[in-house]
Amino acid sequence: MAGGVNRIPILDLSPEIEELWDDLMAAITRVLRSGQFILGPEVEAFEREVAEYLGVKHAIGLNSGTDALVIGLRALGVGPGDEVITTPFTFFATAEAISLVGATPVFVDIDPKTFNIDPNLIPAAITSRTKAILPVHLYGRPAEMDAILAIAEEQGLKVLEDCAQAFGATYRGKKVGTLGHAGAFSFFPSKNLGAYGDGGLLVTNDDGVAELARMLRAHGSKRKYYNEMVGYNSRLDALQAAILRVKLPHVDRWNEKRRQVAERYNELLSGVPGLVLPEISEGHVFHQYTVRILGGKRDRLQQALAKAGIGTMVYYPVPLHELPVYSKKESTKECLNATQASEEVLSLPIGPFVSQREMTSVAGHLRWLLTHTYA
Ligand SMILES: *Cc1c(COP(=O)(O)O)cnc(C)c1O
């Protein structure tokens, strides 16, 4: 076994860049020649195209997925003193955005089968200060939106979807991000639709929310120098928009490839003791292919795979309710399923360009390690 080098990286963006090279260069050249680098026609064109793809009335190009969450929350009227119900098993930005608008994240445990927020546990977490629910479609798997929306409707709560890992995912035939009052997307390079820099998007069918979000991204102004509120500098830049326009027409094919990789892994890994495989559920776009390694072997296994040149990641090693920023708050309760997940999950190399040989190698090593070395 060769040490050190990741012969099979967890993610490799170079094949997609090679495939689209000529189109990318043409798009970049067009923007450079246009002299318009922030917002402008390229961003407007992307906003139209992505709104049509998602089937939503408004799409607002922003600086990042984190900003999309912050601006989405503010546009939905969430602010100081409010509580927002969310999952502790997500990237920090989900809860950070809630804190940044002055509200308090209230963590509700996950369903161990889906890794997403368990809607059955939401009602008990609602208080008179609850303003919104912020579900995350983790790893590209849509959250249980029917149940979440029913609770929100009954209680008069807003729903902001964190779709950072789920671009193109569908729930009962509709694209995620269009089910709640607003949806926040990230175009961080590693996401299913990634820019080559930071970028984000807020989508909504609500005209008022869209208008507020457009103001908030430009220092709280509709008209330059006539600022009406304190906002942000959070505009999508034209180069990223042009790159995203090149990539958008390919995203369905790439997501389908990801599902095929997941199906193949599930075949190759079936019957391995101590291994729990992800369900290939409806509309799942497999931003990550994440297994559970039972019996406290996860970290040793990850190291052994690294020695064999196989890159893996733990998303996420600490659930947010255990991070010191949140664990000390009175409103933070135990979330045992999230804690257990953080000790067991392991994400394997996935992407539209993972080859059969790579899948066979990854699965072969994992099977061998679990049936021999760490049996
Ligand atoms: C990536 C990610 C974000 C943040 O997006 P950025 O564009 O990096 O700011 C938020 N939530 C989740 C679940 C993410 O995976």
Side-chain angles (χ1 to χ4, degrees), residues 3-16:
V5 203
N6 273 354
R7 283 180 289 119
I8 306 179
I10 175 111
L11 174 72
D12 182 7
L13 292 176
S14 56
E16 104 189 0

Side-chain angles (χ1 to χ4, degrees), residues 36-107:
Q36 174 107 48
F37 300 115
I38 291 171
L39 297 180
E42 203 70 51
V43 172
E44 284 163 23
F46 172 65
E47 287 176 343
R48 274 196 307 276
E49 289 161 11
V50 75
E52 192 186 305
Y53 170 85
L54 293 170
V56 71
K57 195 163 174 199
H58 304 281
I60 300 115
L62 303 169
N63 239 335
S64 69
T66 306
D67 278 11
L69 290 166
V70 168
I71 289 174
L73 286 167
R74 273 193 64 188
L76 290 174
V78 177
D82 294 335
E83 290 176 354
V84 178
I85 290 173
T86 193
T87 166
F89 199 56
T90 177
F91 179 56
F92 187 65
T94 310
E96 186 182 35
I98 298 168
S99 299
L100 279 170
V101 304
T104 302
V106 173
F107 298 110

